[in-house]
Amino acid sequence: MATDIVSQLADSLAKTGVEEGELSYKGQGRKLDNAESVEEIVKEIQDFQGLQALRLEGNTVGVEAAQAIAKALETKSEFKCCYWSDMFTGRLRSEIPPALNSLGDAVMTAGARLTVLDLSDNAFGPDGVKGIEKLLKSSACYTLQELKLNNCGMGIGGGKILAAALTECHKRSSAQGAPLSLRVFVAGRNRLENEGATALAQAFQLMGSLEEVHMPQNGINHPGVTALATAMQHNPGLRVLNLNDNTFTKKGAIAMAQALKHLRNIQVINFGDCLVRSEGAIAIAEIVSEGLPILKELNLSFGEITEEAALTVAQAVKDKAQLEKLDLNGNCLGEEGCEALRETMDGINMGDLLGSLSDDEGELEDEDDDDEDDEDDELDEEELEEEEEEEVEEENTGNKVSTPTPASRPPDVSSFLCFPSPDKLLKLGAKRALLIEQQVDVSDPAKMAEAFLKISSVYKEDDEDIKNAVLDSIDAVLKKAFATPTFQGYSFVSSLLVLLGLIKSEDKVKPVRVVPGHLQVLEHIVQQDYFPKENVAVLEAFMSRNNKALESCGSAKNTLQSTLQRVRSES
């Protein structure tokens, strides 16, 4: 009897959050396909008086199940918080918009006023944004404070749709005397690029209420960075600005430095992996020195910053009483420069606030001219725009371009491997595997591990074209590698584990950001005949450990573990 009571209590706690008014099914891994599969959830929603928050993250919800849940939400007028991240794993992309439409319509029907909408890690692309477009424009979102769309694959198109919806919401809510005052915006890993970022920047400037902006890893270059910098100036309450792993160059960094002048409430600045370069770092340091009184964290890591610029940054933070961390790792200081930086930080009694310098790249032998690099960036962008315009014209008119132009270039494999995207992979065409083989040294295990992670990073389970392109390319390249007599399979696996952050290396190797695609494609290759079965046990051992690097890939990790166990038992 006691066991039954404990079991019932545990079940109850698992379903119901500790927050008042919250009903939670978080991380239960339920496969909710139809109305019958959600009968229990529907009843609990109906019976929950004063429901304010519903957590569905970590389950997989089909269209019919979403419609049944939506029906139960139609009477919940006090509803405020949608925690609906990672709830479409394994679903076809075509299923997601109607599911989101049903849930959104229910919230509007209920007359609810949302404060939180979290749809991160759903990989729904531009069509998914269309699925929430009506909701975002409605009175249900006039009170929205947090919008989280991290890792949704929105792309440029989705970014523009989102920006237009937020702009319309602000217009309508302003007419009602209570303009939309979004405080937190999260949209990392969405391939927004310059156009998507610029569109959103216009919406941000209009709102002027943002306190946190997180837009890492979006392929944004200095034109998009400059647009965001202008928008940030109009959000004086901004406390956190995270643009990690975009490409500022000097122009973008200087524009962002000018924006920081207006942000006296800023506490966290994350421009790591942004290639701010020395002149950009010095410009930022000047603003830090003159203002930003409550700055807590400054991240300028992996930015090709030299010793002189790093020391300037260190001097700039000396009077920041609330500083908790300065990150200048992965720059170009050299051994003497690292030591000088440590001494400088010790000299201002901030030595313990300096992050690790273990990944320093060493002194630059020939420092690139920033102006030339920025001009090259502009030329590349102009050529790409010309090429895209020609393609659109051909599609619209049905005519072929009669004469070749300088912008007409063959697919660039090196561009894909440097900055992977699904579109770039598809544009490589049917011979993509051969093109990649020619670019990558298939006899080098470390290079092959890097290439594997680049290609698999764009994998999408619910997009057949991308899925097939990735798997075909991976199979062809790895089959050739493992067939090469000098190729060492164990070294390949070791390099892979290092890059995934699962084991440490004596060399200064920076782990990648692990995404589900890495693990989903890894699950595929371990089942192929070309993959040595003696390496399966090694992978299984490391995948079974708890590791923060894999926390964002729970479902993919579990599937991989199961497959590894099965393959090992069968071999």
Side-chain angles (χ1 to χ4, degrees):
M1 179 66 73
T3 302
D4 292 340
I5 294 173
V6 171
S7 177
Q8 291 172 9
L9 179 59
D11 185 53
S12 177
L13 288 172
K15 292 174 183 173
T16 308
V18 294
E19 296 293 330
E20 184 179 356
E22 179 182 291
L23 186 59
S24 176
Y25 302 90
K26 181 179 179 180
Q28 294 185 14
R30 298 192 186 193
K31 194 169 187 296
L32 307 173
D33 295 324
N34 48 42
E36 184 180 357
S37 66
V38 292
E39 283 181 352
E40 178 188 358
I41 294 176
V42 166
K43 186 175 187 309
E44 289 178 342
I45 292 174
Q46 291 171 336
D47 293 344
F48 199 119
Q49 298 300 312
L51 179 66
Q52 296 182 22
L54 178 62
R55 289 190 173 274
L56 293 173
E57 59 264 64
N59 299 285
T60 175
V61 183
V63 176
E64 190 179 333
Q67 291 170 343
I69 292 171
K71 188 68 177 175
L73 287 173
E74 288 181 354
T75 60
K76 303 300 176 181
S77 60
E78 296 178 47
F79 192 59
K80 295 180 180 179
C81 303
C82 307
Y83 297 107
W84 297 343
S85 64
D86 188 23
M87 68 173 205
F88 295 115
T89 300
R91 299 290 170 185
L92 294 174
R93 182 169 289 184
S94 59
E95 292 183 81
I96 301 176
L100 290 174
N101 269 318
S102 296
L103 292 166
D105 287 347
V107 171
M108 290 185 283
T109 300
R113 295 292 183 266
L114 296 182
T115 57
V116 178
L117 178 58
D118 185 357
L119 288 165
S120 298
D121 300 316
N122 278 313
F124 47 47
D127 289 341
V129 185
K130 291 179 183 177
I132 58 171
E133 186 178 9
K134 184 166 64 169
L135 173 64
L136 287 173
K137 292 178 180 179
S138 75
S139 59
C141 286
Y142 290 178
T143 51
L144 196 63
Q145 296 178 14
E146 299 182 16
L147 178 59
K148 299 179 180 181
L149 296 166
N150 201 55
N151 192 31
C152 287
M154 289 190 289
I156 294 171
K160 288 182 175 180
I161 295 168
L162 177 61
L166 290 174
T167 300
E168 182 63 22
C169 182
H170 185 271
K171 177 182 176 181
R172 293 181 183 180
S173 57
S174 296
Q176 297 293 320
L180 171 66
S181 298
L182 194 67
R183 294 198 328 231
V184 177
F185 180 82
V186 181
R189 299 182 185 177
N190 271 292
R191 306 194 312 277
L192 294 170
E193 301 182 20
N194 291 332
E195 289 184 60
T198 300
L200 285 166
Q202 294 169 355
F204 296 163
Q205 183 168 331
L206 189 64
M207 290 185 289
S209 56
L210 290 166
E211 296 178 11
E212 293 186 26
V213 173
H214 302 265
M215 297 175 66
Q217 203 174 350
N218 268 299
I220 307 170
N221 299 325
H222 70 80
V225 172
T226 301
L228 288 170
T230 301
M232 293 307 111
Q233 295 181 34
H234 296 270
N235 288 265
L238 194 69
R239 294 182 294 104
V240 178
L241 181 56
N242 175 10
L243 295 174
N244 189 282
D245 202 4
N246 290 291
T247 308
F248 283 30
T249 61
K250 182 184 74 175
K251 286 185 177 180
I254 291 175
M256 196 57 74
Q258 294 303 308
L260 291 173
K261 280 184 180 180
H262 304 268
L263 303 176
R264 289 184 58 81
N265 291 310
I266 200 82
Q267 296 179 18
V268 177
I269 300 171
N270 186 345
F271 297 158
D273 269 346
C274 284
L275 203 65
V276 297
R277 296 204 171 110
S278 296
E279 287 188 65
I282 290 171
I284 292 169
E286 182 180 344
I287 304 305
V288 170
S289 179
E290 293 173 356
L292 315 191
I294 58 174
L295 185 66
K296 291 183 178 180
E297 293 184 23
L298 176 59
N299 184 347
L300 296 177
S301 61
F302 298 93
E304 288 192 3
I305 298 170
T306 57
E307 177 185 349
E308 180 185 358
L311 294 176
T312 303
V313 173
Q315 288 294 337
V317 301
K318 66 181 179 181
D319 295 323
K320 305 304 164 190
Q322 296 187 36
L323 191 73
E324 296 175 0
K325 185 175 182 180
L326 173 63
D327 191 346
L328 290 168
N329 197 19
N331 283 301
C332 305
L333 312 184
E335 290 184 15
E336 293 183 4
C338 287
E339 187 57 36
L341 179 58
R342 292 189 187 97
E343 289 178 359
T344 298
M345 292 296 286
D346 286 337
I348 58 176
N349 297 317
M350 287 185 166
D352 58 335
L353 304 184
L354 179 65
S356 169
L357 299 175
S358 62
D359 293 319
D360 187 74
E361 299 286 347
E363 295 181 55
L364 284 176
E365 293 181 8
D366 296 305
E367 189 168 0
D368 295 329
D369 186 282
D370 286 348
D371 291 328
E372 290 181 6
D373 286 348
D374 285 343
E375 286 173 11
D376 288 343
D377 290 341
E378 288 175 350
L379 288 172
D380 288 344
E381 286 160 11
E382 288 170 6
E383 289 175 354
L384 183 59
E385 286 171 5
E386 289 173 16
E387 185 175 321
E388 288 173 347
E389 286 171 7
E390 288 172 7
E391 289 174 357
V392 170
E393 185 177 349
E394 285 185 58
E395 288 174 5
N396 291 340
T397 63
N399 298 325
K400 293 182 178 179
V401 178
S402 57
T403 57
T405 68
S408 300
R409 303 190 302 274
D412 189 352
V413 184
S414 60
S415 174
F416 166 71
L417 291 173
C418 288
F419 302 102
S421 76
D423 291 339
K424 287 181 183 177
L425 182 62
L426 291 178
K427 285 179 180 179
L428 292 177
K431 295 184 178 179
R432 63 180 67 89
L434 179 61
L435 293 171
I436 293 170
E437 282 180 31
Q438 294 171 346
Q439 185 76 19
V440 180
D441 184 358
V442 294
S443 65
D444 186 330
K447 295 285 178 59
M448 280 304 304
E450 290 177 8
F452 172 86
L453 293 175
K454 292 281 189 181
I455 300 168
S456 61
S457 69
V458 304
Y459 180 86
K460 299 292 180 187
E461 181 68 33
D462 52 2
D463 188 320
E464 287 299 315
D465 290 340
I466 296 298
K467 178 179 178 179
N468 292 333
V470 169
L471 296 183
D472 290 347
S473 301
I474 288 287
D475 283 341
V477 175
L478 284 184
K479 192 178 293 183
K480 183 172 181 180
F482 281 110
T484 303
T486 57
F487 187 77
Q488 298 177 333
Y490 181 78
S491 295
F492 167 75
V493 172
S494 297
S495 298
L496 207 55
L497 292 171
V498 168
L499 290 169
L500 290 171
L502 301 181
I503 59 176
K504 293 184 179 179
S505 170
E506 293 180 1
D507 300 322
K508 296 176 180 178
V509 177
K510 182 189 176 188
V512 301
R513 291 175 177 82
V514 184
V515 296
H518 290 143
L519 305 188
Q520 289 166 327
V521 178
L522 188 56
E523 190 226 347
H524 166 80
I525 70 167
V526 299
Q527 301 177 73
Q528 305 310 306
D529 292 338
Y530 61 72
F531 191 83
K533 296 300 179 275
E534 61 267 22
N535 291 327
V536 171
V538 177
L539 285 171
E540 184 185 0
F542 283 96
M543 289 298 166
S544 63
R545 299 178 181 178
N546 290 326
N547 193 296
K548 289 184 178 180
L550 305 181
E551 282 182 354
S552 62
C553 308
S555 178
K557 177 189 173 185
N558 292 338
T559 303
L560 173 58
Q561 282 181 287
S562 298
T563 300
L564 288 168
Q565 291 170 3
R566 177 176 56 77
V567 172
R568 183 173 57 81
S569 64
E570 291 174 354
S571 61

